Amino acid sequence: QVQLVESGGGLVQPGGSLTLSCAVSGSSHRFYYMGWYRQFPGKQRELVATVTSGGTTDIRNSGEGRFTISRDNAKNTLSLQMNSLKPEDTAVYYCNARTRGSTWDPNYLELWGQGTLVTVSS
């Protein structure tokens, strides 16, 4: 079965760095959008950054100047480089992949990773 396999979460001190990785397992399909979301306890999941299969990136304000998203289409992997981490970055981070198009399209596919916890604390 097609899955998104995440890695790279952990504990880091404020100002430190982490790199999250996500690999598409079980499929050679190159999803149009791949990205990262995060979820704080008791809050809804929020977008962190996305990158298209063509390399167009979108980093939300919360990560601007600190986060870099990239993908390797040959390996079908996704990465999020996070620098200058802050305690408020503490959350569960989820890898996401979805096809281009409408959600009511029968060909529409969206996948979520299981989530990886990032804790920024002294």
Side-chain angles (χ1 to χ4, degrees), residues 15-71:
S17 299
L18 281 177
T19 299
L20 305 183
S21 297
C22 175
V24 180
S25 177
S27 176
S28 61
H29 181 73
R30 301 300 187 267
F31 292 88
Y32 186 76
Y33 294 104
M34 293 192 73
W36 293 93
Y37 289 71
R38 65 185 181 185
Q39 188 168 24
F40 307 109
K43 306 296 183 181
Q44 72 178 71
R45 200 168 296 181
E46 68 175 34
L47 178 65
V48 177
T50 61
V51 57
T52 69
S53 59
T56 301
T57 61
D58 177 19
I59 301 174
R60 295 305 187 192
N61 290 340
S62 60
E64 188 174 358
R66 301 186 298 127
F67 295 176
T68 301
I69 189 169
S70 62
R71 66 191 290 176

Side-chain angles (χ1 to χ4, degrees), residues 6 20 35-50 59-64 66-67 80-96 112-120:
E6 301 157 323
L20 305 183
W36 293 93
Y37 289 71
R38 65 185 181 185
Q39 188 168 24
F40 307 109
K43 306 296 183 181
Q44 72 178 71
R45 200 168 296 181
E46 68 175 34
L47 178 65
V48 177
T50 61
I59 301 174
R60 295 305 187 192
N61 290 340
S62 60
E64 188 174 358
R66 301 186 298 127
F67 295 176
L80 181 68
Q81 175 67 48
M82 302 187 293
N83 300 320
S84 302
L85 285 163
K86 307 172 182 179
E88 51 263 43
D89 293 317
T90 297
V92 177
Y93 285 72
Y94 295 89
C95 180
N96 173 262
W112 291 96
Q114 291 296 310
T116 183
L117 177 63
V118 173
T119 302
V120 185

